Amino acid sequence: MAGGSRGGFPAWMTAAAARIDLSGGAAATSGSQPPQPAPPAAVVADQELGMAERALSAASAAFISAIIVNPLDVAKTRLQAQAAGVPYYQAPQMAALGPDAILSELRCSPSCTRGIVLGSEPICPPDCFQYKGTVDVFLKVVRQEGFGRLWRGTNAGLALAIPTVGIYLPCYDIFRNKIEDFTRSNAPGLTPYAPLVAGSVARSLACIACSPIELARTRMQAYKEFQPGVKPPGMWKTLLGVLSPHASSSQNVQNYRVLWTGVGAQLARDVPFSAICWSTLEPIRRKLLGLVAEDGDAASVLGANFAAGFVAGSLAAGVTCPLDVAKTRRQIEKDAQKAMRMTTRQTLVDILRSEGPKGLFTGVGPRVARAGPSVGIVISFYEVVKYALHQRNMS
């Protein structure tokens, strides 16, 4: 463990956590107060890391998180897509079914009392393919499509998470440090708002840069492949499918805008999510670190980061769920012209009129269950990798 900083904070903690004294107040800055001591080792350690090292730390954290929580993302997307009218049942061609020609996607659970036996296996009626909740999605996806389909879109998720978080967390760190330094000298009352502003700006940059991959992942998770033995399209084929209706148009450059379908809804979701998450996470993390400052070890510091991330991520996910529903609706729309005309506001109004307030929170369970651990894993793992890189640089 690296040497301690002011108040006993480990030297590899982020600058934001280390700049708080044990009473919870900001470090002294005004001329009437005692001279400010030399920057804590934690601040120096955090500021010594370059953009590439921060990006590597964040990408490593995102890689672990994306694999662990992907099934919850599939459940959330399936529930939201089902509410939008995406079918998960395809009626069999009865005349083409012989005694040994049972379509695997119509296979029913042996315990289902409503299934009919056709050939050697029971076949379920259409309503048995309706998802009723998170656990029901898991059970039906495993039974009807196989266990591996719970990780459908993981490749796109990794392709999304690594650059997104690789942009997001490093930019957040840098923006927050700069804003805190500026406000402490010029407007101390605005310093507590630094995480909110830094998180919002950093998330906006990440969303715009990676929106096409988010579009591919949402479509990969939302749609079910009905033909037995046919491999569902991957990320690149999905994106080509989005572009294909525009291939014959002469305005090819403008038509690439379709890859950013739903980016407005994504920004409307992710910027408030980030603002809520960071403005909640930082005070909780600082409070928890203050409790273990004197005798805290690596495990307690990681626990504080994970707990703060879990609470902040869960809260932010629940509050922004209606915007996530709107984003999914816009990105699964297969009519390209309609998708380009849709707006987030109109989508929310349509959902409210047709499904009521409950429709705005479709999939809130798996969304919250996914976001809490995901943010906790990313934040705590991010700190570990930053520490490892800092130790390597020191040696």
Side-chain angles (χ1 to χ4, degrees), residues 190-239:
L190 298 178
T191 302
Y193 299 100
L196 188 150
V197 176
S200 299
V201 175
R203 191 65 188 181
S204 298
L205 294 176
C207 282
I208 294 171
C210 302
S211 184
I213 307 176
E214 172 71 19
L215 172 65
R217 182 180 68 161
T218 300
R219 291 200 173 197
M220 290 170 69
Q221 293 177 341
Y223 291 107
K224 177 181 178 181
E225 179 57 58
F226 289 104
Q227 298 181 24
V230 176
K231 185 179 180 181
M235 182 178 69
W236 294 114
K237 191 172 287 188
T238 300
L239 289 176

Side-chain angles (χ1 to χ4, degrees), residues 330-348:
R330 294 187 63 186
Q331 291 187 328
I332 64 175
E333 177 56 57
K334 287 195 168 183
D335 185 334
Q337 296 301 321
K338 182 179 178 181
M340 295 296 287
R341 291 194 304 267
M342 294 171 71
T343 65
T344 302
R345 179 182 177 277
Q346 187 58 48
T347 303
L348 290 171

Side-chain angles (χ1 to χ4, degrees), residues 69 77 101 147 163 178 195 201 215 220 239 241 280 288 309 312 320 334 337 347 358 378 383-384:
V69 302
T77 304
F147 185 76
K178 297 291 186 184
V201 175
L215 172 65
M220 290 170 69
L239 289 176
T280 305
L288 293 175
T320 58
K334 287 195 168 183
Q337 296 301 321
T347 303
K358 184 178 179 181
V378 167
E383 296 295 340
V384 171

Side-chain angles (χ1 to χ4, degrees), residues 314-380:
S314 299
L315 176 63
V319 171
T320 58
C321 187
L323 296 163
D324 184 60
V325 174
K327 180 201 75 77
T328 300
R329 291 284 178 99
R330 294 187 63 186
Q331 291 187 328
I332 64 175
E333 177 56 57
K334 287 195 168 183
D335 185 334
Q337 296 301 321
K338 182 179 178 181
M340 295 296 287
R341 291 194 304 267
M342 294 171 71
T343 65
T344 302
R345 179 182 177 277
Q346 187 58 48
T347 303
L348 290 171
V349 171
D350 291 344
I351 294 171
L352 190 60
R353 286 175 179 171
S354 60
E355 303 171 43
K358 184 178 179 181
L360 295 174
F361 289 89
T362 302
V364 66
R367 173 167 166 77
V368 170
R370 173 195 180 279
S374 178
V375 174
I377 291 169
V378 167
I379 294 300
S380 54

